[in-house]
Amino acid sequence: MKSLIDILDFSVEEVNELLDTADDIIANPDKYAECCKRKKLATLFFEPSTRTRLSFEAAMIELGGSVIGFSDAQNSSSSKGESVSDTAKVISCYADIIAMRHPKEGAPLVAAQAASIPVINAGDGGHNHPTQTLADLLTIRREKGKLDNFTIGFCGDLKFGRTVHSLINALARYENVRIVLISPDELKLPSYVKTDVLEKKGITYVQTTDLEVVMPELDVLYMTRVQKERFFNEEDYLRLKDSYILTPQKLTAAKPDLCILHPLPRVNEISVAIDDDPRACYFKQVLCAKYVRMALILKLLKEAGKIV
Ligand code: CP
């Protein structure tokens, strides 16, 4: 049973096909309006979410399907001690596909191994967030017209930012993507991504603490929030939370066609004064996420033999 737990579960060709399908859905939404009639998506969210859960739900509804699920683990039987495996087996009796977010790294993989329906990782702890990556790739491709030969800066919490880890894994498979890592020393990219992905694949990267110095080089700037929920003590969070705040003044040296992304939610990392700048693409990114999740639901349900 094909699931999506890690972006590397899909080949580059499969990812490109998904992006093509998403582009086609954007151009021809009516064509897809009944594709998932009588099919059910279960959204099992053991951690808070606005975008991921609601965009999955909107995606399934726009495909003609329906949605069941929970958005608070306290309202599910996990609060009574039920395991992720048992939950996945039970939901397989009710739904056709699962989207799961969980604070524990690896929980969606455990669910996929137990379920008899496809499982989508909607974010597992500080580990991965492959559907955000699909949204990021679609946004970059629509804004830049390509996924190769460009420089992307990742700025903020690169240690706990799962969207950064997934996107770096994905971009490492395209030609000549140069990576600039901008973070405080305490929030540097973990070695399992730096050594095992960037260095192993010979990807050009630099590390810095200074956003303004590298700003003129960037084609894409991926801002991130400092992940409060992953810190062990509040003092460290308070000290690091405002390490980078993007303001119009800091953009003066940026390229005129810079593409500014942020997986959201935003706290302080991007001044609202930037929202009307044509280079601000983070709300377009939100919309791209819904369309690429529609494409993903279609692909996994087709491969499971649940739709034609
Ligand atoms: N980008 C993202 O995952 O947002 P939510 O946490 O609101 O789902």
Side-chain angles (χ1 to χ4, degrees), residues 20-36:
D20 292 343
T21 305
D23 278 335
D24 194 51
I25 295 170
I26 292 169
N28 307 290
D30 291 349
K31 198 169 119 186
Y32 296 88
E34 301 209 343
C35 287
C36 291

mmCIF file of all heavy atoms in Angstrom, residues 20-36:
data_model
loop_
_atom_site.group_PDB
_atom_site.id
_atom_site.type_symbol
_atom_site.label_atom_id
_atom_site.label_comp_id
_atom_site.label_asym_id
_atom_site.label_seq_id
_atom_site.Cartn_x
_atom_site.Cartn_y
_atom_site.Cartn_z
ATOM 1 N N ASP A 20 2.411 18.651 -11.758
ATOM 2 C CA ASP A 20 1.681 18.839 -13.022
ATOM 3 C C ASP A 20 0.173 18.689 -12.786
ATOM 4 O O ASP A 20 -0.636 19.464 -13.305
ATOM 5 C CB ASP A 20 2.118 17.804 -14.070
ATOM 6 C CG ASP A 20 3.554 18.014 -14.534
ATOM 7 O OD1 ASP A 20 4.099 19.119 -14.309
ATOM 8 O OD2 ASP A 20 4.127 17.074 -15.124
ATOM 9 N N THR A 21 -0.194 17.670 -11.999
ATOM 10 C CA THR A 21 -1.628 17.470 -11.704
ATOM 11 C C THR A 21 -2.186 18.675 -10.950
ATOM 12 O O THR A 21 -3.293 19.155 -11.249
ATOM 13 C CB THR A 21 -1.848 16.183 -10.875
ATOM 14 O OG1 THR A 21 -1.267 15.093 -11.564
ATOM 15 C CG2 THR A 21 -3.325 15.912 -10.630
ATOM 16 N N ALA A 22 -1.405 19.178 -9.984
ATOM 17 C CA ALA A 22 -1.872 20.351 -9.219
ATOM 18 C C ALA A 22 -2.073 21.545 -10.156
ATOM 19 O O ALA A 22 -3.087 22.260 -10.045
ATOM 20 C CB ALA A 22 -0.870 20.691 -8.120
ATOM 21 N N ASP A 23 -1.144 21.746 -11.074
ATOM 22 C CA ASP A 23 -1.307 22.844 -12.051
ATOM 23 C C ASP A 23 -2.593 22.646 -12.861
ATOM 24 O O ASP A 23 -3.321 23.604 -13.139
ATOM 25 C CB ASP A 23 -0.108 22.881 -13.021
ATOM 26 C CG ASP A 23 1.105 23.610 -12.432
ATOM 27 O OD1 ASP A 23 0.920 24.462 -11.536
ATOM 28 O OD2 ASP A 23 2.227 23.316 -12.872
ATOM 29 N N ASP A 24 -2.857 21.387 -13.234
ATOM 30 C CA ASP A 24 -4.059 21.116 -14.032
ATOM 31 C C ASP A 24 -5.336 21.338 -13.209
ATOM 32 O O ASP A 24 -6.341 21.851 -13.729
ATOM 33 C CB ASP A 24 -4.011 19.680 -14.580
ATOM 34 C CG ASP A 24 -5.042 19.480 -15.683
ATOM 35 O OD1 ASP A 24 -5.070 20.298 -16.632
ATOM 36 O OD2 ASP A 24 -5.861 18.542 -15.578
ATOM 37 N N ILE A 25 -5.283 20.991 -11.924
ATOM 38 C CA ILE A 25 -6.458 21.228 -11.059
ATOM 39 C C ILE A 25 -6.717 22.736 -10.955
ATOM 40 O O ILE A 25 -7.870 23.185 -11.000
ATOM 41 C CB ILE A 25 -6.244 20.606 -9.653
ATOM 42 C CG1 ILE A 25 -6.149 19.083 -9.748
ATOM 43 C CG2 ILE A 25 -7.382 21.004 -8.716
ATOM 44 C CD1 ILE A 25 -5.702 18.394 -8.447
ATOM 45 N N ILE A 26 -5.635 23.510 -10.814
ATOM 46 C CA ILE A 26 -5.787 24.972 -10.715
ATOM 47 C C ILE A 26 -6.440 25.514 -11.997
ATOM 48 O O ILE A 26 -7.344 26.363 -11.938
ATOM 49 C CB ILE A 26 -4.404 25.642 -10.475
ATOM 50 C CG1 ILE A 26 -3.883 25.266 -9.070
ATOM 51 C CG2 ILE A 26 -4.487 27.163 -10.626
ATOM 52 C CD1 ILE A 26 -2.426 25.633 -8.800
ATOM 53 N N ALA A 27 -6.022 24.959 -13.145
ATOM 54 C CA ALA A 27 -6.550 25.453 -14.428
ATOM 55 C C ALA A 27 -7.957 24.932 -14.717
ATOM 56 O O ALA A 27 -8.759 25.626 -15.358
ATOM 57 C CB ALA A 27 -5.592 25.062 -15.556
ATOM 58 N N ASN A 28 -8.250 23.708 -14.255
ATOM 59 C CA ASN A 28 -9.533 23.060 -14.610
ATOM 60 C C ASN A 28 -10.203 22.420 -13.391
ATOM 61 O O ASN A 28 -10.377 21.197 -13.342
ATOM 62 C CB ASN A 28 -9.280 21.945 -15.649
ATOM 63 C CG ASN A 28 -8.507 22.427 -16.839
ATOM 64 O OD1 ASN A 28 -9.013 23.196 -17.659
ATOM 65 N ND2 ASN A 28 -7.256 21.993 -16.940
ATOM 66 N N PRO A 29 -10.593 23.210 -12.389
ATOM 67 C CA PRO A 29 -11.110 22.596 -11.148
ATOM 68 C C PRO A 29 -12.361 21.739 -11.363
ATOM 69 O O PRO A 29 -12.535 20.720 -10.676
ATOM 70 C CB PRO A 29 -11.411 23.811 -10.256
ATOM 71 C CG PRO A 29 -11.437 24.999 -11.154
ATOM 72 C CD PRO A 29 -10.582 24.684 -12.325
ATOM 73 N N ASP A 30 -13.206 22.112 -12.325
ATOM 74 C CA ASP A 30 -14.460 21.364 -12.521
ATOM 75 C C ASP A 30 -14.215 19.909 -12.920
ATOM 76 O O ASP A 30 -15.000 19.023 -12.595
ATOM 77 C CB ASP A 30 -15.332 22.045 -13.584
ATOM 78 C CG ASP A 30 -15.863 23.381 -13.069
ATOM 79 O OD1 ASP A 30 -15.718 23.635 -11.848
ATOM 80 O OD2 ASP A 30 -16.377 24.170 -13.888
ATOM 81 N N LYS A 31 -13.106 19.706 -13.657
ATOM 82 C CA LYS A 31 -12.747 18.361 -14.124
ATOM 83 C C LYS A 31 -12.567 17.385 -12.951
ATOM 84 O O LYS A 31 -12.725 16.185 -13.088
ATOM 85 C CB LYS A 31 -11.431 18.504 -14.884
ATOM 86 C CG LYS A 31 -11.053 17.399 -15.810
ATOM 87 C CD LYS A 31 -9.860 17.859 -16.667
ATOM 88 C CE LYS A 31 -8.654 17.003 -16.451
ATOM 89 N NZ LYS A 31 -7.469 17.522 -17.163
ATOM 90 N N TYR A 32 -12.239 17.907 -11.782
ATOM 91 C CA TYR A 32 -11.885 17.059 -10.633
ATOM 92 C C TYR A 32 -12.979 17.032 -9.557
ATOM 93 O O TYR A 32 -12.817 16.372 -8.536
ATOM 94 C CB TYR A 32 -10.574 17.573 -10.012
ATOM 95 C CG TYR A 32 -9.396 17.441 -10.967
ATOM 96 C CD1 TYR A 32 -9.078 18.452 -11.876
ATOM 97 C CD2 TYR A 32 -8.632 16.276 -10.989
ATOM 98 C CE1 TYR A 32 -8.023 18.317 -12.758
ATOM 99 C CE2 TYR A 32 -7.573 16.130 -11.872
ATOM 100 C CZ TYR A 32 -7.275 17.156 -12.749
ATOM 101 O OH TYR A 32 -6.233 17.010 -13.635
ATOM 102 N N ALA A 33 -14.078 17.730 -9.818
ATOM 103 C CA ALA A 33 -15.061 18.003 -8.748
ATOM 104 C C ALA A 33 -15.746 16.745 -8.197
ATOM 105 O O ALA A 33 -16.267 16.775 -7.080
ATOM 106 C CB ALA A 33 -16.108 18.997 -9.227
ATOM 107 N N GLU A 34 -15.746 15.627 -8.965
ATOM 108 C CA GLU A 34 -16.435 14.428 -8.462
ATOM 109 C C GLU A 34 -15.514 13.224 -8.394
ATOM 110 O O GLU A 34 -15.977 12.096 -8.244
ATOM 111 C CB GLU A 34 -17.640 14.136 -9.356
ATOM 112 C CG GLU A 34 -18.621 15.297 -9.405
ATOM 113 C CD GLU A 34 -20.048 14.873 -9.648
ATOM 114 O OE1 GLU A 34 -20.260 13.738 -10.095
ATOM 115 O OE2 GLU A 34 -20.936 15.694 -9.375
ATOM 116 N N CYS A 35 -14.225 13.451 -8.519
ATOM 117 C CA CYS A 35 -13.269 12.327 -8.594
ATOM 118 C C CYS A 35 -13.283 11.441 -7.355
ATOM 119 O O CYS A 35 -12.988 10.253 -7.424
ATOM 120 C CB CYS A 35 -11.851 12.851 -8.780
ATOM 121 S SG CYS A 35 -11.562 13.480 -10.424
ATOM 122 N N CYS A 36 -13.595 12.010 -6.202
ATOM 123 C CA CYS A 36 -13.546 11.229 -4.952
ATOM 124 C C CYS A 36 -14.927 11.062 -4.323
ATOM 125 O O CYS A 36 -15.041 10.882 -3.093
ATOM 126 C CB CYS A 36 -12.586 11.887 -3.955
ATOM 127 S SG CYS A 36 -10.885 11.767 -4.475
#
